[in-house]
Amino acid sequence: NMGSWIAEEAVVSTQSTGGEVDDALSGGPLLATLVDHFNIAITRKDIQTLKDLTWLNDEVINFYFNMLMERSKKCAPSIHIFNTFFYPRLLKVGHQGLARWTRKVDLFAMDLIMIPIHLGMHWCLAVIDNRNTTITYYDSLLGDNHQCTASLRDYMVAEHLAKKKTPMNASSWKLVIEKDLPEQLNGCDCGVFACKYAEYVSQDRPFDFDQSDMPYFRRR
């Protein structure tokens, strides 16, 4: 779970013992780096966004998604993740401006591609599933975002043409706004919901949590 996974990374990086995790996360300089992995430096200030009733920030979201991708190297399904800056850049510059993002990866060889979506004050999740050519949008407030799913479809079509040198039929993609979801009942847990959706989808597990589990997921 979120707090424990990141805390364990911090313990390893600082050679601390498990009993020192609470002290590392709650006391000391806010800008002190607790763990530096995946080219992401997590500070005590970042970790403190995992406290109850606090919005998660980009660093914590990106770190968590990278841990999911790292774990997938040991078990199916295979996963690639884009960070929180991918989607705003896609809207701004389109596929051409993102060409370098996939220089070292064949997206079409991945089972799942996961993208955290930040809508200013709200976190959601988009998942591209190559196994069934479906793009699914997960919003804990059950909102619609057809622009997101359509933009990602167009991105995959352009990526296929650029990398495979053959056209892909855009109509082959099924676009889904998922509504059968554990629903957020407050104004601050959207990031945790997005991360947990990603964790469950990454393991092909049905969602079996709800709002009451959020403090546990933040901390465990």
Side-chain angles (χ1 to χ4, degrees):
N1 286 303
M2 304 190 64
S4 61
W5 280 17
I6 297 176
E8 285 166 9
E9 291 284 352
V11 168
V12 170
S13 70
T14 59
Q15 297 183 334
S16 301
T17 64
E20 294 173 307
V21 171
D22 285 344
D23 290 340
L25 302 188
S26 61
L30 287 178
L31 298 182
T33 297
L34 300 182
V35 56
D36 193 339
H37 197 29
F38 311 122
N39 292 318
I40 303 171
I42 296 292
T43 67
R44 184 171 284 107
K45 184 178 180 180
D46 296 325
I47 286 288
Q48 288 183 356
T49 68
L50 285 166
K51 290 182 176 180
D52 287 346
L53 304 179
T54 306
W55 283 316
L56 302 192
N57 65 9
D58 288 270
E59 286 75 20
V60 168
I61 297 275
N62 288 329
F63 197 93
Y64 191 78
F65 273 64
N66 271 280
M67 288 194 297
L68 294 179
M69 183 167 67
E70 186 74 14
R71 185 180 65 184
S72 78
K73 295 176 181 178
K74 303 175 183 177
C75 58
S78 59
I79 297 169
H80 183 71
I81 64 104
F82 286 121
N83 66 28
T84 56
F85 308 109
F86 173 84
Y87 181 63
R89 185 155 181 80
L90 174 63
L91 293 183
K92 184 176 181 180
V93 300
H95 175 269
Q96 186 174 359
L98 293 164
R100 66 180 182 83
W101 287 55
T102 55
R103 284 181 301 177
K104 298 180 180 180
V105 62
D106 178 2
L107 293 184
F108 300 95
M110 299 288 122
D111 293 323
L112 301 172
I113 303 157
M114 297 187 158
I115 308 107
I117 306 295
H118 195 203
L119 304 177
M121 301 290 284
H122 186 52
W123 290 105
C124 300
L125 168 71
V127 177
I128 301 168
D129 192 333
N130 281 317
R131 299 170 299 182
N132 55 19
T133 55
T134 299
I135 299 173
T136 306
Y137 186 77
Y138 301 86
D139 181 349
S140 55
L141 294 179
L142 305 185
D144 294 330
N145 193 342
H146 298 287
Q147 178 189 30
C148 178
T149 54
S151 297
L152 292 174
R153 175 202 59 203
D154 294 345
Y155 171 82
M156 292 298 285
V157 170
E159 178 76 359
H160 195 276
L161 184 60
K163 297 296 177 62
K164 305 297 185 181
K165 308 304 180 186
T166 57
M168 170 182 275
N169 187 351
S171 64
S172 65
W173 286 97
K174 181 181 179 182
L175 308 184
V176 177
I177 306 294
E178 184 60 66
K179 298 295 185 180
D180 185 15
L181 287 174
E183 189 175 352
Q184 176 187 348
L185 301 177
N186 64 18
C188 54
D189 280 331
C190 53
V192 185
F193 273 94
C195 286
K196 298 313 291 186
Y197 294 153
E199 181 181 350
Y200 276 64
V201 172
S202 75
Q203 300 176 74
D204 288 326
R205 290 171 57 191
F207 299 137
D208 62 359
F209 59 89
D210 60 27
Q211 178 68 61
S212 66
D213 295 308
M214 291 302 112
Y216 171 78
F217 285 151
R218 283 178 178 270
R219 176 64 195 161
R220 201 201 85 174

